[in-house]
Amino acid sequence: MPIDFTAISEAFKAAIPFIPVTLRLAFIPLLIGSLFGLLIALARFYQVPILGRCLNGLVTIAKGIPVVLSLMVAYLLFSDLFDQVVTSLSLPIRFSDINREYIGIFVLAFTASISLSEIFRGALAAIPKAQWDAAASIGLTQSQTIIRVIFPQMMPIALPMICSQLIVLIKASSLVSLVSVVDVLNGALITATTSYTFLESYIAAAIIYWALSFAVEQVSHLFERHYTRKVVRGSVL
């Protein structure tokens, strides 16, 4: 079957306006996931009583749940419970008034938190114990050691994997169509509903996803080189 390049061009133009949606669905969960992932990693790495064990179980369970399943479960729970809660509180808002994008961000942020916690935990384990001893010898507290010594050395180790996680989130954002959010993929498919050029629409969406992933990877490489040169080779104390 010959490929219609005109249809690819039309699908490409239709998808471009939805690039900000895809970027929001990737960057916002990454930021939220980085914060919670770091907290989870610290609690697990330092074996915080009770909390550390609970988080170990949560991470083990969450790693085995597909993103698409999490999206569907979150959507069904929100749709069933949200109206009941706001009605009991006499609030005028309803589930139909909520932007479905928030559900996608919530689910992707949860998924990113689990993945990033493993990334940060591995980076923490890669820091030699001698760094802790050196920091303690000059009177730094544990929190000061983490902020001033461990964290600057941990980031160059974790940065390539954080970049990979961002690319994973960009690709995973295509699943939000299940909760009625229009992103790059669904924007590209708009033209296919009338012309039935679905293959061309998928090709156009693939090009955009590849371009976004390539841009993220290149920026990450630049940042990684400069950060490593300035921080790792310098004195962190």
Side-chain angles (χ1 to χ4, degrees), residues 168-191:
V168 168
L169 288 171
I170 290 174
K171 294 183 292 185
S173 66
S174 62
L175 297 173
V176 297
S177 61
L178 296 173
V179 293
S180 305
V181 178
V182 181
D183 69 324
V184 165
L185 178 59
N186 297 284
L189 289 173
I190 290 175
T191 58

Side-chain angles (χ1 to χ4, degrees), residues 81-137:
L81 299 178
F82 187 84
D83 286 346
Q84 298 178 21
V85 173
V86 296
T87 300
S88 64
L89 296 175
S90 301
L91 297 176
I93 192 172
R94 291 294 180 268
F95 180 74
S96 58
D97 302 323
I98 300 298
N99 188 345
R100 304 297 194 275
E101 192 176 317
Y102 295 139
I103 298 176
I105 289 174
F106 171 79
V107 172
L108 292 176
F110 175 76
T111 303
S113 297
I114 300 302
S115 299
L116 288 166
S117 70
E118 292 288 80
I119 291 172
F120 290 134
R121 191 168 68 93
L124 284 169
I127 306 299
K129 188 179 182 298
Q131 296 290 333
W132 293 94
D133 298 334
S137 68

Side-chain angles (χ1 to χ4, degrees), residues 139-216:
L140 293 182
T141 64
Q142 189 175 57
S143 59
Q144 289 174 329
T145 302
I146 293 173
I147 296 172
R148 297 179 59 184
V149 179
I150 303 303
F151 188 74
Q153 296 182 74
M154 182 183 74
M155 285 309 297
I157 300 172
L159 189 59
M161 292 175 284
I162 294 174
C163 170
S164 297
Q165 182 61 37
L166 178 57
I167 294 174
V168 168
L169 288 171
I170 290 174
K171 294 183 292 185
S173 66
S174 62
L175 297 173
V176 297
S177 61
L178 296 173
V179 293
S180 305
V181 178
V182 181
D183 69 324
V184 165
L185 178 59
N186 297 284
L189 289 173
I190 290 175
T191 58
T193 57
T194 55
S195 61
Y196 299 101
T197 53
F198 289 97
L199 175 60
E200 287 78 0
S201 296
Y202 287 129
I203 292 174
I207 292 172
I208 294 176
Y209 283 119
W210 174 83
L212 292 175
S213 300
F214 180 77
V216 168

